[in-house]
Amino acid sequence: MRVEALKKPFNASFEHLASDKSISHRCAIFSLLSSESSVIENYLEAEDTLNTLKIIQALGANVRWDKNKITIIPPKEIKSTNEKVLDCGNSGTAIRLLMGFLASKQGEFILDGDEYLRKRPMRRVTEPLEKIGAVFEGKDKANFAPIKVKGKKLEFFSYDSPIASAQVKTAMILAGLNGKGCKISEPSLSRDHSEKMLSAMGASLSVDESKDGKIKIEVSPLKSPLKPINMAVPNDPSSCFFYALAAAIIPNSSVEIKNMLLNKTRIEAFKVLSRMGAKIEYKPKSGGYDDTGDVKISYNGRLKAVDVSENIAWLIDEAPALAIAFACADGTSTLKNAKELRVKECDRIAVTVSALRACGIEASELEDGFKITGGVTKSASIDSHGDHRIAMSFAVLGLLCGMEISKSEFIATSFPNFTKCLESLGAVVNE
């Protein structure tokens, strides 16, 4: 992908930018907990989420499309797929949630993915589940895909997670729902879409937050199928953030995004961008499964440096894009407590720092983050290492100075219309 520098500012408005990936995955998997048909509008039609639909079909669900709406008819019981591979593609969310869901379902299931997913660690899910009776088979004690799940009914369990991870938390919740219940905790609140969606579906699930921020969740086993899901998936703040970033670094530009998810665990990067000086206005809406609304981001002068070390679980996906903001700011910015970036689709700390240096920016790795001194960026050729968020982040920087990005095809895993939206700002993109 080659992105040319914009010749003039933009003022754009998006009704449908990119449907939320996290919620789309959950809609597909959680629909299997009901005995009635779920109807979902604006389901994300990206490679990762379409793979999840194929997987639930392999498990017995019937999926029907009608324009931008899908109807999922769940099976009476989950089918054992035995030696048939359930391909999660590039999605860590899909494979980890499905491990928790299938661990307490009778049958054998093989979960796999692409070359990049096979490098991502899964022990954070398989280890705690094994301790309460789940059975997994795979490389390095089921730390890497492909992983075989030998499902069976699980007993009640308690688990204290050492990290704040929505993927781990949801996997454990699903195992408890399908088993005999559970009590789990995490050191601070991670994305809470699962708790909100499952509670709205009728699951018996309580959440308490202690004074020190620790989250405790108690889950009762399912006594009957849950209510079906009927919702329109809002725009994904993680995807929308790329366009917020563009407005914040391109002089005299602005962008308005309609119907975006405003869950507090998902807009932390927007708050950081606001702290850096960008003008951001929110118009919340009421109703639905979660907080949504419209947001407008406007250029407000050159950004200012910032230190980021709190609520990292709430902005982990936006870290590469925030690095671009740091590179376009006056002063030196730091991101800390983000060691999780080392085990994403690639080592996002090392890859981001290397790419920024190629763009003429002073940047250095920290063990758990990076330090970046803003300056004048220059056009460069960077390797995304097959990471969709690295590719999109540097494509946005390309709007300022021009950029060539290899392995940009992986953008389709989460944001298939990214290039089209970029071009609507006036960008010239050659793929």
Side-chain angles (χ1 to χ4, degrees):
M1 170 188 282
R2 173 72 192 179
V3 181
E4 304 294 339
L6 282 176
K7 295 182 179 180
K8 61 181 181 179
F10 62 86
N11 293 283
S13 179
F14 292 103
E15 188 77 32
H16 300 293
L17 193 58
S19 299
D20 192 84
K21 187 167 76 160
S22 294
I23 289 180
S24 293
H25 279 305
R26 284 163 172 79
C27 282
I29 297 170
F30 294 177
S31 71
L32 302 180
L33 296 170
S34 179
S35 60
E36 301 176 51
S37 298
S38 291
V39 180
I40 301 140
E41 293 183 54
N42 302 330
Y43 185 90
L44 178 62
E45 295 182 53
E47 289 178 5
D48 280 355
T49 46
L50 291 176
N51 281 332
T52 301
L53 284 183
K54 290 177 184 177
I55 288 172
I56 69 167
Q57 286 176 297
L59 296 173
N62 185 353
V63 178
R64 298 175 181 173
W65 284 90
D66 181 14
K67 297 181 180 179
N68 72 329
K69 182 186 297 183
I70 61 171
T71 299
I72 302 175
I73 304 168
K76 291 183 179 179
E77 61 180 4
I78 299 300
K79 297 179 181 178
S80 174
T81 54
N82 299 315
E83 296 304 311
K84 180 179 180 180
V85 173
L86 303 175
D87 185 4
C88 299
N90 192 247
S91 178
T93 297
I95 193 169
R96 290 179 176 132
L97 268 58
L98 285 163
M99 282 193 289
F101 178 80
L102 296 172
S104 52
K105 292 291 185 182
Q106 292 295 328
E108 294 189 356
F109 314 89
I110 297 176
L111 296 167
D112 201 0
D114 66 16
E115 61 176 306
Y116 297 99
L117 188 64
R118 285 186 170 191
K119 295 176 183 178
R120 297 181 66 179
M122 300 295 151
R123 198 66 185 143
R124 62 180 59 182
V125 174
T126 58
E127 183 175 25
L129 286 172
E130 283 178 343
K131 289 181 179 179
I132 50 97
V135 180
F136 300 95
E137 293 179 0
K139 182 181 177 182
D140 190 22
K141 297 182 180 179
N143 192 29
F144 300 102
I147 293 174
K148 176 179 279 190
V149 185
K150 293 187 173 182
K152 64 176 186 177
K153 196 73 171 180
L154 298 176
E155 297 297 320
F156 178 88
F157 65 90
S158 296
Y159 176 63
D160 293 320
S161 177
I163 59 173
S165 166
Q167 294 175 358
V168 174
K169 173 175 61 177
T170 304
M172 305 305 286
I173 289 173
L174 291 172
L177 278 174
N178 288 324
K180 295 186 178 180
C182 64
K183 289 182 179 180
I184 60 178
S185 69
E186 57 180 351
S188 60
L189 181 64
S190 61
R191 294 183 181 182
D192 58 354
H193 308 314
S194 296
E195 298 95 301
K196 290 188 174 184
M197 291 178 68
L198 290 169
S199 294
M201 293 173 70
S204 179
L205 185 153
S206 64
V207 181
D208 291 311
E209 182 174 359
S210 59
K211 291 182 179 179
D212 61 359
K214 189 172 185 177
I215 302 298
K216 295 182 179 180
I217 302 170
E218 188 166 350
V219 179
S220 299
L222 291 181
K223 295 180 180 179
S224 60
L226 298 180
K227 292 182 290 187
I229 301 169
N230 291 285
M231 71 176 298
V233 180
N235 278 310
D236 189 325
S238 298
S239 295
C240 295
F241 188 72
F242 295 110
Y243 292 87
L245 170 66
I249 65 173
I250 305 296
N252 304 314
S253 295
S254 68
V255 63
E256 184 176 27
I257 302 162
K258 305 286 189 178
N259 190 37
M260 192 183 85
L261 184 67
L262 295 182
N263 181 299
K264 71 175 184 178
T265 67
R266 296 293 303 281
I267 58 170
E268 188 69 13
F270 287 82
K271 292 183 178 180
V272 172
L273 202 58
S274 179
R275 285 168 53 200
M276 296 181 75
K279 183 180 179 182
I280 302 181
E281 303 167 89
Y282 301 95
K283 296 179 182 178
K285 296 180 180 178
S286 59
Y289 285 71
D290 212 328
D291 300 325
T292 62
D294 303 337
V295 58
K296 184 176 182 180
I297 304 93
S298 306
Y299 181 82
N300 194 33
R302 187 169 170 86
L303 298 175
K304 301 181 289 291
V306 68
D307 292 324
V308 181
S309 60
E310 297 180 348
N311 295 331
I312 299 302
W314 296 2
L315 52 72
I316 199 74
D317 282 344
E318 294 83 4
L322 277 174
I324 302 300
F326 292 177
C328 298
D330 289 330
T332 299
S333 300
T334 59
L335 175 73
K336 296 180 180 179
N337 299 325
K339 197 171 184 179
E340 171 76 9
L341 292 171
R342 297 282 188 188
V343 291
K344 288 291 187 177
E345 282 80 345
C346 68
D347 181 339
R348 285 182 176 165
I349 293 173
V351 171
T352 298
V353 167
S354 176
L356 283 177
R357 286 173 176 170
C359 296
I361 294 298
E362 182 182 335
S364 58
E365 292 184 41
L366 306 175
E367 180 183 2
D368 59 351
F370 40 66
K371 180 183 289 188
I372 298 167
T373 300
V376 177
T377 57
K378 66 178 183 180
S379 179
S381 295
I382 69 107
D383 184 350
S384 71
H385 292 261
D387 190 309
H388 55 130
R389 298 197 189 278
I390 296 289
M392 289 186 284
S393 296
F394 282 86
V396 172
L397 183 57
L399 298 176
L400 197 61
C401 59
M403 198 68 58
E404 188 168 327
I405 304 146
S406 67
K407 303 184 182 70
S408 61
E409 65 271 18
F410 285 89
I411 289 172
T413 64
S414 67
F415 199 162
N417 60 326
F418 175 79
T419 299
K420 182 179 178 181
C421 293
L422 211 61
E423 290 173 336
S424 73
L425 304 181
V428 175
V429 183
N430 297 303
E431 295 187 277

